Amino acid sequence: IVTVQLGCLAATTILLGSRIQRVNRRLAALAGAFAMIACGLALILNAPAVWLIAFLAVAGAGCGACNAAGSSLVSQAADPVRMASNCWGWIVIWQTAIWLATPLATEHLGGRGLGVVLAVGSLAMIPWLLHMPAGGDVAAAPKPSSGGAGAAATPSEPMTVPRALPLVYLPLMLGVAAFWLRDSLIWSLAETRGTQLAIDAAQLSRTLAIASILGIIGPVAANYLGNRGGRKARVIVALIAVALVMQLIATTDAASAYRLGFVFWTATSLFAWTYLTALAAEVDAAGRVVAMCSGVVFAASASGPLLGGILVDSGGGVGLSVAVATLSALTIAALLMVFNVAAKRGAP
C-alpha cells in the first residue's frame, strides 16, 4: 500500500513538475490538498477496506501536486539555499508532529485515526496554499544584507544553464535518485540491522526519534553557511559527510556506533539535501528540475525496501556496505559532472 502511495506521489510530482511553468501553482496545490482531505474523510467514514489502496493512491497524487507546486517556487527565490533551508526546517517540524500524532490517533481511533491525521494535516496547509504565487512571476525574496548575521548566507550568482541542457539535468536527477535510494535502503533495513546488533525495538525507536528531531540542525546549518566557500565545495563536502555517516551505519558491528550513526544521519542528510535542492532550483529558473527532483526522491524511497529485501535474501552484510558505497560514489560523481558541464557552458 505504501509503495502504491509513494509511486502515485512520485509520478504526479514528476509529470506535473515537467510542465510546472504552464500550471497555476496555487490551484494545483489546493486541488491536491482537497484530494487528501477527501481521502481522509473517506477513511474517517469507514469506507470499504477494498477501496483503501485507491484512496491512498489518490492521496499520494494529491500530495504530489502540492509537492510539485511548492518545490518549484524555490527556483524563484533570490537565495535558493536560504529558501530551501527554510522549507526543510519547517518540513522537519511538520513531519515530527505527524509522526507523533499518527500512533496516538490510530491507538484511540483505529483506522479512522489515520484519516483524521490526513484530513486535519491537509486542512492545516490551506491558509498557506492560498497565499502561494499562481504562476512564474514570483516575487523574489530579499537578499541578505552584506553585514551582520545575514552575511554568511549571502547568495552567489545563479547557476542557471541555458536551453535546459540534458547534460546537466539528467546527471543531477541521477545523483538525487542515488542519494535517496541509499537513504531509503538504510531506513528499510534499520530494524533488521538493529536486531543483528542486539538493539531492541524500544532503543531503536528512541534513537530514530532523536535523529528525527535533530534533523532540523541540517537545514539550520545550511541557512547559516549559505554558499560560503563556494557552491561546488559546499555540495561535495556535504555529500562526503553523508556518505561517511551512511558507511558507518552499514558496516559497524558495534551497537553504540550504529545508534550514533543514526543520530547524525538525518542532520547530515538534510544538510546535503538542502544544497541539492538549491542547486536543482538554480540550474532551471522555471522550476521544472527542482520539482521533478522532488518526485525522484519519492520514487527512490519506494524502491529502497525492494533493494533492501534483495540484499537480505542474498545474505546482507557485505552486500549492504557495497551498495551504500556504490550509491554514495554515484551521487558524488553525478554532481561533479553537473558542475563540470555547467562550467564549460559558462555558468558561474
Side-chain angles (χ1 to χ4, degrees), residues 35-79:
M36 290 189 285
I37 292 171
C39 291
L41 292 176
L43 294 175
I44 293 172
L45 297 174
N46 274 336
V50 69
W51 291 101
L52 179 61
I53 293 180
F55 286 136
L56 292 180
V58 172
C63 185
C66 293
N67 188 34
S71 298
S72 67
L73 295 179
V74 179
S75 64
Q76 305 295 317
D79 186 350

Side-chain angles (χ1 to χ4, degrees), residues 243-269:
L244 293 175
V245 171
M246 290 298 201
Q247 206 61 34
L248 171 66
I249 294 173
T251 59
T252 185
D253 292 323
S256 57
Y258 183 74
R259 295 175 63 188
L260 183 63
F262 268 104
V263 168
F264 283 102
W265 168 39
T266 310
T268 55
S269 184

Side-chain angles (χ1 to χ4, degrees), residues 9 43 69 113 125 129 162 169 173-174 194 227 255 258 277 288 293 346:
L9 198 167
L43 294 175
M125 296 191 304
L129 298 183
Y169 302 150
M173 286 190 280
L174 175 62
N227 278 315
Y258 183 74
T277 301
R288 294 164 297 181
C293 282

Side-chain angles (χ1 to χ4, degrees), residues 278-307:
L279 179 62
E282 289 179 332
V283 299
D284 176 28
R288 294 164 297 181
V289 173
V290 68
M292 288 190 290
C293 282
S294 295
V296 170
V297 169
F298 291 100
S301 297
S303 304
L306 175 61
L307 178 57

